[in-house]
């Protein structure tokens, strides 16, 4: 069953160069797990509540693929490039 990785990333005052490097390298890390970006920080409208930041949505063929990506050596190597400079939340959710 399809799974999604959803990230809510708060916008910093300035984008650190490490974050730009992360963005350049993350797609390569996604490939072996058949992950693809569905949403990557596009324009959004908040209709209820507040949402300070950006949305990233990645689709995977299964929860196992999503977990495999997140736990992979390639992703764990680049993860601090983002987490050291951006506050956010990340979850993996099974599709319907």
């Amino acid at each position: 069953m399809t799974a999604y990785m959803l990230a809510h990333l708060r916008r910093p005052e300035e984008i650190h160069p490490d974050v730009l490097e992360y963005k350049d390298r993350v797609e390569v890390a996604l490939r072996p797990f058949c992950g693809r970006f569905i949403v990557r920080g596009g324009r959004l409208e908040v209709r209820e509540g507040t949402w300070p930041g950006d949305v990233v949505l990645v689709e995977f063929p299964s929860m196992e693929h999503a977990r495999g990506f997140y736990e992979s050596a390639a992703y764990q190597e680049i993860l601090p490039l983002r987490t050291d400079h951006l506050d956010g939340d990340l979850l993996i959710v099974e599709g319907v």
Side-chain angles (χ1 to χ4, degrees):
M1 180 173 288
T2 304
Y4 299 91
M5 184 172 285
L6 175 67
H8 174 207
L9 303 174
R10 279 100 178 150
R11 292 184 193 126
E13 297 277 330
E14 286 184 40
I15 301 294
H16 192 278
D18 285 355
V19 175
L20 299 177
E21 181 181 345
Y22 170 89
K23 287 175 73 172
D24 288 342
R25 295 174 60 187
V26 70
E27 289 195 51
V28 172
L30 281 169
R31 283 187 200 134
F33 302 94
C34 304
R36 70 182 186 101
F37 285 100
I38 303 297
V39 176
R40 194 173 191 186
R43 190 177 75 183
L44 59 86
E45 292 182 20
V46 178
R47 295 296 178 111
E48 296 182 21
T50 60
W51 193 274
D54 292 317
V55 176
V56 178
L57 182 64
V58 181
E59 181 181 63
F60 292 92
S62 68
M63 291 289 282
E64 291 74 23
H65 283 84
R67 283 189 206 106
F69 162 72
Y70 189 85
E71 296 166 2
S72 71
Y75 188 63
Q76 289 300 308
E77 179 182 318
I78 65 171
L79 184 58
L81 297 172
R82 177 179 59 79
T83 58
D84 288 352
H85 306 288
L86 290 177
D87 287 331
D89 306 297
L90 186 133
L91 57 93
I92 299 172
V93 61
E94 194 169 65
V96 294

